[in-house]
Amino acid sequence: MKYTEIMVRYGELSTKGKNRKDFIKQLGKNVRAVLTNYGDIEVKAQRDRLHVDLNGQDDKPVIESLKQVFGIENFYPSIKIAKTMDAIKETALEMVKEQYSAGKTFKINTRRQDKSFEYHTDQINNMLGDYILENVDGIKVNVKNPDIEIRVEVRMNGAYLSSEKIKGAGGLPVGTGGRASMMLSGGIDSPVAAYMAMKRGVKIDMIHFYSPPYTSEQALAKAKQLTSVLAKYSGGIQFIAVPFTEIQETIKEKVPEGYLMTIQRRMMMRLAAEITKNRHCTGIFNGEALGQVASQTLESMMAINDVTSMPVLRPLISMDKTDIIEISKDIDTFDLSVLPFEDCCTIFTPPAPKLGLTWKSHVNLSSILTLMN
């Protein structure tokens, strides 16, 4: 069956108050952005729902793209037909037959926007139910938990029928939660953290540190590929590559081995904070999870945070690694993340990293800090 429209139901943004129209406007803008290459498609973002008029375009790529847009709870591919009971009956029957197999149940769910239509909601439900029972052998009604649900909307400009409910990405539209930077490594965690930041409506810029010749061109290309995969959830992401070799070499020379990782991360954070401020962003995200490695203890996080007054947000802070991996597979970043290209966070990893900075007063960091000015 060739669909003519997709009806989108809002998620969490439907609970908003006076600023709800701003959230809906942003969602409409994001949907238009992801569908811009699919031909003559019209997006109408209204207060109660969003409508995508396909205007004859193929519905399959549109459906796949909508699954990735934050702010959408679910959506219904629909077909527009003449506003007559005969047309509604035949289309509903065709939809049921496409999905029916022995033992399946069904339900009719009607909404009537056009109050002048000759039949009211209950009459339409009953008439369609009777017609399907008469024409589909063995099918039964189940109003609480049906296998097949036919949704009928009688609007002013026609009747719309749908039989498929598709889950959306949920969350809030990207762009409604402000703008921040994301410290992207080449591993599993930071792409998932970026995804979760965007799900809360945050527009992100990617910051990736690389250290040639210790890190390869393939490692940098992997970070760019990860950004490209994540961009389909937001309509576009700025990628900022920051050379880090000289700073790492100086840290390696000046700092006791056990503190290399924490000092490196402090330097990265200082740079990220400056970049974030210069780009008029208001926060920094990263992929740290509490206790996952020695440099991600509370003591180390406090030491790293100490170099900036900007909010540092860690969406994965209390998540298990197995849960993070599952999300990375769902969002198609896992296979890229596990490619065996080194990143600059691991090239000088000490055998026994320290958990804090109690030695700070005994070490002269001036030569390192001048690199950051």
Side-chain angles (χ1 to χ4, degrees):
M1 181 168 290
K2 186 175 177 63
Y3 295 115
T4 59
E5 182 197 272
I6 298 174
M7 190 274 287
V8 174
R9 292 183 62 189
Y10 303 136
E12 186 179 342
L13 69 85
S14 62
T15 65
K16 301 301 177 182
K18 294 181 180 180
N19 59 350
R20 176 173 173 168
K21 64 180 180 180
D22 296 326
F23 283 75
I24 293 172
K25 181 179 179 181
Q26 184 65 51
L27 178 60
K29 180 180 177 181
N30 294 350
V31 171
R32 292 184 190 98
V34 301
L35 301 183
T36 188
N37 295 323
Y38 294 150
D40 183 22
I41 292 176
E42 186 177 4
V43 178
K44 303 173 185 175
Q46 301 171 347
R47 178 172 176 77
D48 58 341
R49 61 194 68 189
L50 181 146
H51 300 279
V52 179
D53 290 334
L54 295 170
N55 293 324
Q57 301 300 319
D58 186 5
D59 57 79
K60 291 181 177 60
V62 175
I63 288 171
E64 290 305 309
S65 293
L66 288 177
K67 288 179 182 178
Q68 299 163 351
V69 178
F70 292 120
I72 295 176
E73 182 71 19
N74 49 56
F75 56 93
Y76 300 83
S78 306
I79 181 169
K80 180 183 178 181
I81 58 173
K83 197 165 46 176
T84 68
M85 278 309 301
D86 286 342
I88 294 172
K89 283 181 179 179
E90 291 305 320
T91 304
L93 179 61
E94 184 181 353
M95 285 182 166
V96 169
K97 285 184 174 180
E98 282 185 351
Q99 300 183 49
Y100 181 67
S101 59
K104 283 192 173 183
T105 59
F106 81 103
K107 172 186 177 180
I108 306 294
N109 185 353
T110 300
R111 295 185 61 174
R112 188 179 61 144
Q113 182 190 66
D114 182 2
K115 303 303 182 184
S116 67
F117 189 66
E118 57 185 319
Y119 303 106
H120 59 66
T121 299
D122 288 341
Q123 288 176 311
I124 297 170
N125 286 340
N126 291 334
M127 293 170 71
L128 291 180
D130 290 342
Y131 189 73
I132 290 169
L133 288 169
E134 291 168 3
N135 289 277
V136 180
D137 291 337
I139 197 168
K140 295 182 180 180
V141 174
N142 184 336
V143 296
K144 291 186 177 181
N145 188 28
D147 299 305
I148 305 168
E149 180 175 359
I150 305 298
R151 295 175 59 90
V152 181
E153 291 200 17
V154 182
R155 303 184 201 161
M156 305 305 294
N157 65 337
Y160 293 78
L161 274 71
S162 61
S163 61
E164 187 177 6
K165 178 180 178 181
I166 300 174
K167 182 177 175 59
L172 296 171
V174 173
T176 60
R179 187 174 174 185
S181 297
M182 176 73 218
M183 298 175 69
L184 179 74
S185 70
I188 295 171
D189 299 338
S190 57
V192 174
Y195 171 85
M196 296 181 74
M198 291 187 290
K199 189 170 184 176
R200 299 313 303 160
V202 179
K203 178 72 173 175
I204 61 171
D205 296 340
M206 292 297 194
I207 298 176
H208 176 73
F209 294 92
Y210 69 111
S211 297
Y214 305 107
T215 59
S216 64
E217 285 298 316
Q218 293 99 318
L220 180 60
K222 181 173 83 166
K224 292 178 179 179
Q225 283 183 278
L226 286 167
T227 301
S228 179
V229 171
L230 291 165
K232 66 187 179 183
Y233 296 100
S234 66
I237 299 174
Q238 293 288 321
F239 181 85
I240 304 160
V242 181
F244 200 59
T245 307
E246 184 179 356
I247 295 173
Q248 276 196 292
E249 289 177 337
T250 303
I251 294 172
K252 173 71 171 174
E253 178 186 349
K254 302 290 185 180
V255 173
E257 186 177 69
Y259 297 96
L260 287 176
M261 184 60 68
T262 300
I263 293 300
Q264 286 182 73
R265 291 182 183 274
R266 278 169 62 92
M267 298 303 112
M268 288 179 181
M269 185 64 72
R270 291 188 67 180
L271 276 174
E274 286 300 311
I275 294 169
T276 301
K277 182 172 65 175
N278 290 339
R279 295 178 67 82
H280 306 290
C281 301
T282 54
I284 302 168
F285 283 82
N286 66 32
E288 292 180 338
L290 186 61
Q292 187 174 126
V293 294
S295 64
Q296 295 179 21
T297 62
L298 283 176
E299 294 90 344
S300 289
M301 289 180 186
M302 181 174 66
I304 294 166
N305 282 13
D306 192 48
V307 301
T308 181
S309 59
M310 267 193 179
V312 180
L313 301 120
R314 298 172 169 89
L316 312 185
I317 190 69
S318 62
M319 292 185 64
D320 292 340
K321 189 68 173 186
T322 51
D323 296 330
I324 297 170
I325 290 172
E326 286 304 309
I327 295 174
S328 73
K329 291 178 179 178
D330 289 341
I331 64 175
D332 297 327
T333 59
F334 179 79
D335 290 340
L336 274 174
S337 294
V338 297
L339 291 175
F341 302 128
E342 68 292 321
D343 63 66
C344 65
C345 291
T346 59
I347 56 176
F348 292 144
T349 303
K354 302 296 184 182
L355 303 183
L357 288 176
T358 55
W359 60 277
K360 181 177 178 181
S361 60
H362 306 295
V363 179
N364 184 0
L365 297 182
S366 60
S367 59
I368 300 175
L369 297 180
T370 55
L371 292 171
M372 309 301 297
N373 296 329

